Amino acid sequence: MLPTPEDTRALGEVLAGLLRPGDLVVLVGPLGAGKTALTQGIGAGLGVAEPVTSPTFVIARVHTGGRLPLVHVDAYRLGGVADVDDLDLDASTEESVTVVEWGQGLVEQLADEHLEVRLDRREDDVRTAVLVPRGPGWERRLAG
């Protein structure tokens, strides 16, 4: 359970310690569930100095200067896999960590395996997170 946005950011910082070049993290959840707060924590954990804000209107932002580049994508307004292909994200995925909000069913082809983070917000405003490893590499990392 993640009672505050700070708790959600702290989870992101912990996840950042597990991230490697080429990793894909797909964030799933309704509006207000904490997807951007989690990404802010990942950015902080990677050492990104600039603010990590929602890329809703620009669709994708690249943050450099940390341990690894962070590619932050908001796929909410994308119509399908063809729109994702048009972003040419695979050009930067090998050396970066790519975090995609609203990406379920759209971006999984960017990596052989990925981490899915299912976020939700309860009626009392407490957020919850479930980490779903998609592939043996992520299963091993989360087990450790």
Side-chain angles (χ1 to χ4, degrees):
M1 293 206 304
L2 307 165
T4 68
E6 291 75 25
D7 294 315
T8 304
R9 285 187 200 88
L11 174 61
E13 288 189 47
V14 170
L15 287 177
L18 299 175
L19 295 172
R20 302 174 184 159
D23 278 345
L24 173 63
V25 180
V26 180
L27 306 182
V28 179
L31 283 170
K35 294 180 292 296
T36 299
L38 185 78
T39 307
Q40 289 169 340
I42 290 172
L46 291 175
V48 171
E50 63 196 26
V52 174
T53 59
S54 179
T56 300
F57 297 106
V58 295
I59 300 176
R61 281 197 172 95
V62 179
H63 301 277
T64 58
R67 178 173 66 84
L68 296 168
L70 171 63
V71 178
H72 183 196
V73 180
D74 186 329
Y76 185 76
R77 296 184 307 139
L78 299 181
V81 175
D83 288 345
V84 173
D85 289 342
D86 288 345
L87 293 177
D88 202 24
L89 293 174
D90 55 349
S92 61
T93 54
E94 285 187 25
E95 66 274 358
S96 303
V97 170
T98 303
V99 177
V100 184
E101 299 184 27
W102 303 100
Q104 187 178 31
L106 295 173
V107 298
E108 291 84 357
Q109 78 280 0
L110 293 173
D112 293 335
E113 55 185 7
H114 66 278
L115 177 64
E116 181 178 299
V117 181
R118 295 181 186 165
L119 296 158
D120 203 1
R121 184 176 74 189
R122 301 183 333 194
E123 287 184 23
D124 61 0
D125 266 353
V126 170
R127 273 69 173 176
T128 59
V130 176
L131 306 180
V132 182
R134 301 292 187 183
W138 270 109
E139 289 172 4
R140 282 191 298 274
R141 278 194 256 178
L142 291 181

